[in-house]
Amino acid sequence: MGISENKGRTLARRYRKGCAQWRRMLFFGAALIFNVLAVLWVADLFWTAGWHRAHVPLLLVFAILNGMLVVGAFHAFFGFWDIVRGGKQAVKITELGEEARPLEHRYAVVMPVYNEDSGKFCARIEAIYRSIEQTGELDKFDFLLLSDTRDVDLWVIEEMAWASLCRRLDAFGKIFYRRRKVNENRKAGNIGDFVRTWGGRYEGMMVLDADSLMDGGDVVKMAKTMEAHPNLGILQTAPQLIRGASVFTRLQQFAMSLYSPLFVRGLNYWQLGGGSYWGHNALIRLKPFSDFCELPDLPGSEPFGGRILSHDFVEAALMVAEGWEVWLAWDIKGSYEEAPPTLADHLIRDRRWCQGNLQHLWLIFARKLPFSVRMHLFMGIMAYLGGPLWFLFLIMGTWLAWDFEMSNLSVLPFDGFVQRYLGIGSDWQGGLLICMVAVLLFLPKVLAVLRAAFSSEIRRSFGGITTLLTGALLETLISMILAPCLMVAHTMMVLSILSGRAVGWGSQSRETDGTSWKDAVRFHWLPTVLGIGWTILALKIGLVFTLWMSPILIGLIVCMPVSVWTSRARYGKALREVGIFTVGEEIEPPGVLKLAWAAELEVDTVLDAKGPGRDGFLAAVVDPYVNGVHLSLLEKSALSAKSESLARRCLRDGPEWLTPSERADLLYLEPAMLLMHRTVWLGNMENLSPVWKKAVESYRRS
C-alpha cells in the first residue's frame, strides 16, 4: 500500500466520522432556525390582521413550503461559499484516490435499454470505449448492452447495431449484448439480472442510461478512487445536459450548467459519505450491491405498493444503512446525459418519477436508516408534494381574500410582538416577508451569475457576459411562467396516484419535432381553464389581489402557447445563433462528445445499408447475415413439435398473423429460426405466404 493511499484513507476516515455530524448540524440547524423565525413572523402577521380559521392550515403549509425553500437556498449559499473560499472546506473523494499505478480489478460498463434508438446508444458506447482506450486501461473494462426491448423489430436492429459496433472496434469478447426474455421489475430487474448472472466477474459496474455519455479518463479515475477506498459502495457523478435542440432543452441545459455547481457543492457539504444514487452515471461496487440492495416488494399493490419504481434512492439507502459509503464526485466534469425535448415529455417522465418517489413514504421511517438517507428520501418526496402544497396554499389564500372582501369588515388594530418589540408596522412586516421569500427564490440564481461573471473561464463558457446575463434573465422569466403549469400537473399526478392509478412503463422520448397544438391542448387544457376561471374570481375579489396573483394567473393562462413555443427546435436554433443559452460543451465540445458524433454517423450508415422497408423480424428470417448474427446469440436446443408448428404457421400465413408474443417466442427458438431461414431460400414458395417471396426477391435484387 502506497503512502498516498494511506493518507487518502486517513483523511477519508476523518471526514466520515468527525466532519459529517457537525456539518449536518450546522446546515440543517441553521435552516431550521431560519424557518422557525419565518413561521413566527407570519404567525404574528396573521395575529395583527385578525385571526381567521384559514390561518392555521395556511401557517402549516407555509412552514413546509418555506422550509424546503430555505433548504434549497442554503444548498446554493453553502456551495457558493465553498467555491469562493477556493474549495478549502470541500471534501473531494476522488482526490484521495488518484494513484499512479494501474487498475487491479475488472469493471463492467452496463447500459440498460428499452425500445431505444440503437444507432445512438451504440455510438455512445463506442465513444466511451475509445475514450477509455486512450487511457491504456481498456483491458480492465467490459461493456454490456442489457436490453429489455419488447418490440421484436427493434430487438433485431439492436443485435445488428451491436454486431456492427463489435466488428468496427474489433471488440467481440469485450462488448456484449443480452436481451431479457421476461422484463420483470423494469430497469431495477434488468440490472439485478446482470448482477446475479455476471456480477461475480467484476469489482464494480458503471451504470449508464441509454442517453448517458462519460469521458473515459473520468471512468478510470472513478475506478481508481473505488480501489483506493475499500468502504466506498457507490460513487455518483453530477451529469451535465448536452445536445439540447428545442428551447425547452436548451433552457434546462443552460440552467443546469449555470446553477448546478452551487447546489452540487452545497449538497456535498453536508452529505459526504451518506449520499444518494441517481440511477445512472455512477460506479457501484458489486459485492455489497448484490448482498444488500435486493429491493423488497412494498405492501399492497401499485401505485403505492408493489415494485419500487424509484429504486436508485432506495439502493443507496440500503448501502449506507449497512455501513458502506455513497459519495458524490462533484469534480467529475466528463459526465453527460440528455433531457426530455419538450414540457409534455418532461411531464410524462415526471409522472413515473412522482409515483416512485411517493412510494418512499413507506421507507422514510424505516429502522436503521441514517439521517442523511432520510433527508434524501424526504427531499425526493417533497419534489412532487411541493406542487400540491403550493396549490393548496394559493387556494386557501384566495379563500381568505374572498372571505375578507365579502364580509365588508375592517381590520382590527391588534398589536403583534414584532410591532411591540421591534417597532415594525404590519405593512412593513408584510413587505419584509415578501422580500425574504424573494431572496430565497432568487438568491441561487444571483449567486450563480455572480460566480460566472467574476470568472473569465466561466464567462467564456456561456459566450460572454452579455449572453450570460440575457440567458439568465430569459431562463428566469420562462421558468416563472412554467412554474404554475408544473404546480397543477404535479397536483394532478399526486391525485391520480392517490386514486389508485399506477403508471405504465414506456420508453422515454429523447427527440421530437415539437409539441403539436393538439397535444398541447391535451396536456395543458386544465391549467388554462383553471387560470381563466381563477382570474375572473380574482377580479371579483379586487384589483390588488389580482395583481398579487398575476404571476400565477398569467403562467396558467399562457402555458399552452409557451409549451408549444419552447418545444420547437427551430427557435432553439435561433437562440443558439445569437449565443443565448449557450454552454461550454457547445463552444468547446469535449473529446468524448466528438467521438460520439462521429460514431453516430458511422453507425447510422451501417444500419441504412440494409435497405429501407425491411423490418427486423423479416430480416432475421430472410437475411443470411442477420439470421447468422441472431442465431449466434441464442442457446442451442432441439426442435420441438410445438416450435416447428409455430414456425410452419408463420411461414404459411405470414408473421402478421402471429401475435407479438408468438413472434418473440420464435426469435428465441434457434432451430425454428434456422428452419424458417432454410425454407424461405430452399423451399417451395407456393406453400409460403407472399410476404416471404417479396422479401427473398428484394434480397436477390440487392
Side-chain angles (χ1 to χ4, degrees):
M1 185 183 297
I3 295 176
S4 59
E5 186 173 350
N6 269 322
K7 180 182 177 182
R9 292 179 180 178
T10 302
L11 287 172
R13 281 195 295 269
R14 187 189 77 191
Y15 282 121
R16 291 165 192 160
K17 296 179 180 179
C19 196
Q21 291 183 355
W22 75 259
R23 284 187 176 216
R24 290 165 189 168
M25 288 177 62
L26 174 63
F27 184 92
F28 290 103
L32 179 62
I33 292 171
F34 192 97
N35 192 45
V36 168
L37 291 175
V39 172
L40 292 175
W41 188 275
V42 173
D44 187 77
L45 188 62
F46 284 167
W47 173 257
T48 60
W51 199 258
H52 188 278
R53 57 187 178 276
H55 284 161
V56 172
L58 268 172
L59 197 61
L60 291 174
V61 175
F62 174 82
I64 300 172
L65 291 176
N66 190 69
M68 295 308 300
L69 195 59
V70 170
V71 169
F74 272 36
H75 275 114
F77 176 76
F78 275 73
F80 178 78
W81 180 250
D82 182 58
I83 293 172
V84 168
R85 287 171 60 87
K88 294 179 181 178
Q89 298 298 315
V91 183
K92 189 190 299 184
I93 188 69
T94 54
E95 187 177 51
L96 305 176
E98 292 193 34
E99 312 300 334
R101 63 188 182 189
L103 290 170
E104 296 179 1
H105 303 288
R106 295 184 57 77
Y107 296 85
V109 177
V110 301
M111 179 181 283
V113 296
Y114 178 79
N115 291 347
E116 299 281 354
D117 186 324
S118 57
K120 288 183 170 54
F121 69 68
C122 280
R124 297 180 185 110
I125 287 290
E126 178 175 346
I128 298 170
Y129 183 99
R130 292 187 184 278
S131 185
I132 293 178
E133 188 176 32
Q134 294 170 2
T135 69
E137 296 280 6
L138 183 62
D139 61 313
K140 296 297 184 181
F141 291 88
D142 287 337
F143 300 77
L144 296 100
L145 296 169
L146 308 176
S147 176
D148 260 341
T149 294
R150 297 298 96 188
D151 186 307
V152 294
D153 294 327
L154 289 180
W155 170 12
V156 176
I157 293 172
E158 286 176 358
E159 293 178 339
M160 296 310 301
W162 163 79
S164 172
L165 174 65
C166 292
R167 188 173 63 252
R168 189 164 56 256
L169 296 175
D170 191 22
F172 288 103
K174 288 289 292 180
I175 303 177
F176 303 91
Y177 173 87
R178 184 274 281 142
R179 178 188 182 269
R180 271 203 305 171
K181 192 169 186 178
V182 179
N183 57 349
E184 183 182 12
N185 198 19
R186 304 177 172 92
K187 178 182 175 182
N190 196 358
I191 294 292
D193 179 78
F194 160 76
V195 172
R196 287 186 296 272
T197 308
W198 294 287
R201 305 177 185 179
Y202 307 102
E203 177 69 14
M205 62 176 175
M206 175 66 69
V207 180
L208 306 174
D209 266 353
D211 61 355
S212 295
L213 186 64
M214 288 206 64
D215 177 77
D218 286 330
V219 173
V220 172
K221 182 180 181 180
M222 292 171 70
K224 289 183 177 182
T225 300
M226 184 161 282
E227 293 193 355
H229 297 277
N231 206 44
L232 177 58
I234 300 177
L235 186 58
Q236 174 67 59
T237 65
Q240 293 295 314
L241 296 179
I242 55 172
R243 297 178 57 154
S246 67
V247 176
F248 185 77
T249 49
R250 294 191 60 74
L251 178 146
Q252 290 182 292
Q253 194 171 273
F254 173 85
M256 178 169 282
S257 184
L258 181 60
Y259 307 136
S260 69
L262 272 65
F263 287 101
V264 166
R265 292 285 284 269
L267 184 64
N268 185 72
Y269 176 85
W270 64 265
Q271 71 172 25
L272 298 180
S276 191
Y277 166 43
W278 302 342
H280 56 89
N281 293 47
L283 184 64
I284 300 176
R285 195 183 298 272
L286 278 163
K287 183 63 168 63
F289 187 83
S290 175
D291 290 344
F292 305 120
C293 296
E294 184 86 22
L295 294 179
D297 284 352
L298 297 175
S301 58
E302 292 188 354
F304 282 106
R307 298 288 192 179
I308 298 174
L309 292 185
S310 294
H311 57 90
D312 38 16
F313 276 37
V314 181
E315 288 160 347
L318 294 172
M319 189 84 82
V320 174
E322 293 295 336
W324 292 86
E325 295 181 349
V326 177
W327 282 83
L328 176 60
W330 55 265
D331 60 310
I332 295 292
K333 304 302 181 184
S335 177
Y336 309 101
E337 63 172 330
E338 297 179 22
T342 69
L343 176 60
D345 292 310
H346 177 85
L347 293 177
I348 292 172
R349 186 186 68 175
D350 261 7
R351 174 60 177 83
R352 184 172 65 252
W353 286 6
C354 178
Q355 179 177 325
N357 283 20
L358 292 187
Q359 286 180 316
H360 296 165
L361 288 167
W362 282 103
L363 307 169
I364 195 169
F365 299 110
R367 292 178 298 174
K368 291 182 61 178
L369 293 185
F371 172 79
S372 64
V373 168
R374 297 186 197 276
M375 284 307 305
H376 281 297
L377 294 175
F378 176 72
M379 289 189 291
I381 293 167
M382 290 308 301
Y384 293 98
L385 287 185
L389 287 173
W390 183 26
F391 192 33
L392 179 61
F393 186 83
L394 294 174
I395 290 174
M396 289 190 295
T398 303
W399 169 39
L400 184 63
W402 172 270
D403 202 33
F404 179 79
E405 184 67 25
M406 293 301 106
S407 67
N408 293 318
L409 297 176
S410 58
V411 177
L412 295 176
F414 291 108
D415 286 339
F417 286 95
V418 173
Q419 185 171 1
R420 185 181 307 166
Y421 295 105
L422 300 179
I424 300 175
S426 59
D427 290 341
W428 277 98
Q429 188 177 353
L432 289 173
L433 175 65
I434 294 169
C435 290
M436 180 208 71
V437 173
V439 168
L440 292 175
L441 280 171
F442 296 107
L443 179 65
K445 296 179 184 291
V446 172
L447 292 178
V449 170
L450 286 175
R451 167 181 172 265
F454 287 98
S455 168
S456 59
E457 181 181 353
I458 300 176
R459 279 200 313 272
R460 285 195 301 271
S461 70
F462 291 104
I465 188 66
T466 302
T467 54
L468 167 66
L469 295 176
T470 304
L473 289 172
L474 184 59
E475 183 276 331
T476 301
L477 176 62
I478 296 175
S479 296
M480 289 175 61
I481 292 173
L482 293 179
C485 176
L486 291 170
M487 172 191 71
V488 175
H490 286 179
T491 301
M492 298 309 298
M493 291 175 194
V494 172
L495 291 176
S496 173
I497 292 169
L498 291 175
S499 68
R501 294 179 58 189
V503 68
W505 186 27
S507 58
Q508 181 174 309
S509 176
R510 306 192 192 278
E511 295 187 22
T512 184
D513 195 28
T515 302
S516 66
W517 282 100
K518 180 180 178 181
D519 286 337
V521 171
R522 181 167 62 91
F523 277 96
H524 308 306
W525 69 268
L526 180 59
T528 304
V529 172
L530 181 63
I532 294 171
W534 211 334
T535 301
I536 295 172
L537 178 61
L539 289 170
K540 287 188 176 182
I541 293 173
L543 182 60
V544 174
F545 178 76
T546 305
L547 291 175
W548 277 110
M549 287 288 292
S550 60
I552 308 296
L553 301 176
I554 292 172
L556 292 173
I557 293 171
V558 304
C559 68
M560 202 177 294
V562 172
S563 177
V564 172
W565 177 72
T566 57
S567 72
R568 298 290 190 255
R570 62 179 179 272
Y571 299 134
K573 182 180 179 181
L575 290 174
R576 179 175 179 177
E577 288 175 352
V578 296
I580 297 177
F581 294 156
T582 297
V583 294
E585 287 77 15
E586 295 172 334
I587 294 177
E588 295 183 13
V592 71
L593 187 55
K594 294 178 181 178
L595 289 172
W597 287 339
E600 192 172 305
L601 293 174
E602 191 169 355
V603 169
D604 283 346
T605 300
V606 172
L607 292 176
D608 291 344
K610 282 296 169 188
R614 302 180 189 178
D615 62 53
F617 185 86
L618 284 177
V621 174
V622 178
D623 189 301
Y625 176 71
V626 178
N627 181 262
V629 170
H630 180 73
L631 292 179
S632 70
L633 294 170
L634 299 179
E635 294 181 1
K636 301 293 183 182
S637 62
L639 182 63
S640 66
K642 183 178 179 181
S643 301
E644 182 177 2
S645 174
L646 182 60
R648 297 291 184 191
R649 181 156 64 89
C650 182
L651 291 168
R652 182 184 68 248
D653 301 334
E656 66 274 15
W657 290 98
L658 270 61
T659 65
S661 62
E662 288 176 329
R663 288 197 293 273
D665 288 342
L666 267 180
L667 284 172
Y668 271 115
L669 299 172
E670 185 261 350
M673 292 299 297
L674 184 58
L675 169 67
M676 293 172 67
H677 177 71
R678 290 173 175 172
T679 302
V680 297
W681 283 102
L682 304 175
N684 187 352
M685 280 293 176
E686 294 181 0
N687 299 325
L688 304 182
S689 169
V691 69
W692 301 114
K693 182 178 180 180
K694 292 179 181 178
V696 170
E697 289 177 350
S698 173
Y699 278 96
R700 282 174 173 163
R701 285 196 300 269
S702 61

